[in-house]
Amino acid sequence: MERRRTRRVRLAAGAAVVLALLFAGAATVASARGDGSGEESGNTRVPAASSADAGFARDMAVHHQQAVEMSFVVRDRTDDEDVRRLAYDIANTQANQRGMLLGWLDLWELPKVAPGGEPPMAWMEGGGRHAHGGHHSDGDGSGSGDGDGVLMPGMASRSELARLGRLDGEQAEVFFLQLMTDHHKGGVAMAEACASQCSVPAERRLAQGMVEGQRSELGLMRDMLAERGAAPRS
């Protein structure tokens, strides 16, 4: 059982890294060729600041940053090699993708904050804050609504991050897997929206890769929780 679990983690982790490298190469080439649409800037057409392309790049960069931070936290709170390996691969993949998204904004000469004080995910059809589920309590009586630092659906609250940093061993593993499951569900919803709304082909391909990679990791994390006698939060 332990060998199967370890092998499954390694396969999923390897696939995530390969996907990240493939999309990084494709995105770099596409960006260099001006593979986009929107306002004219010299000989290159770039998206507008209020476009889905720019909104997704800004918001997913923030979303990814929290996943990277949570992954580094759990690596210091457990000795379990499967969880540590998964955390490392999530951090590596999402830091890579975050760099690409911020690089596009620089290339397009667009701000890294939403123009006009728009809320996060305003670029998504139907409104951002209600696009994917609700927020959770962190289990110790503290709420995790917007007042607790939740910027986008799926993101952990400040109190949840603090709790993760206090836990050790299997308790830390379970809470990390639950938080990251919520995080991936929010990320998948955002990436699906970009895959259908963004106009830059390279960005749509990257978003679709995120959907596929994170869905695979969702299944893996569900199995890892079950092996620890736990389940994703409702």
Side-chain angles (χ1 to χ4, degrees), residues 42-179:
N43 294 323
T44 302
R45 301 180 67 206
V46 301
S50 59
S51 66
D53 302 84
F56 176 74
R58 286 190 299 261
D59 289 347
M60 189 58 86
V62 174
H63 209 267
H64 272 17
Q65 180 60 29
Q66 188 183 78
V68 172
E69 292 170 358
M70 289 195 297
S71 297
F72 281 126
V73 169
V74 80
R75 276 173 60 85
D76 294 333
R77 309 305 297 178
T78 179
D79 293 326
D80 185 276
E81 286 304 315
D82 289 343
V83 173
R84 286 168 59 84
R85 188 178 298 109
L86 174 64
Y88 173 81
D89 287 319
I90 288 174
N92 188 51
T93 299
Q94 297 209 12
N96 241 341
Q97 294 172 342
R98 182 175 184 273
M100 292 161 54
L101 295 166
L102 294 176
W104 273 328
L105 291 172
D106 284 337
L107 184 68
W108 298 332
E109 298 183 353
L110 295 178
K112 295 182 177 66
V113 295
E118 286 185 355
M121 299 172 67
W123 56 274
M124 289 179 65
E125 291 179 352
R129 293 187 182 277
H130 305 288
H132 178 74
H135 301 306
H136 298 280
S137 166
D138 68 359
D140 61 5
S142 301
S144 59
D146 292 348
D148 202 12
V150 177
L151 299 177
M152 287 170 267
M155 292 186 70
S157 67
R158 284 189 292 265
S159 54
E160 287 172 327
L161 294 175
R163 182 185 174 200
L164 179 63
R166 294 192 301 268
L167 298 175
D168 289 299
E170 189 170 286
Q171 286 186 324
E173 296 161 21
V174 168
F175 196 49
F176 166 76
L177 292 168
Q178 290 174 331
L179 290 178

Side-chain angles (χ1 to χ4, degrees), residues 33-50:
R33 291 176 177 171
D35 186 10
S37 64
E39 300 173 356
E40 295 288 345
S41 177
N43 294 323
T44 302
R45 301 180 67 206
V46 301
S50 59

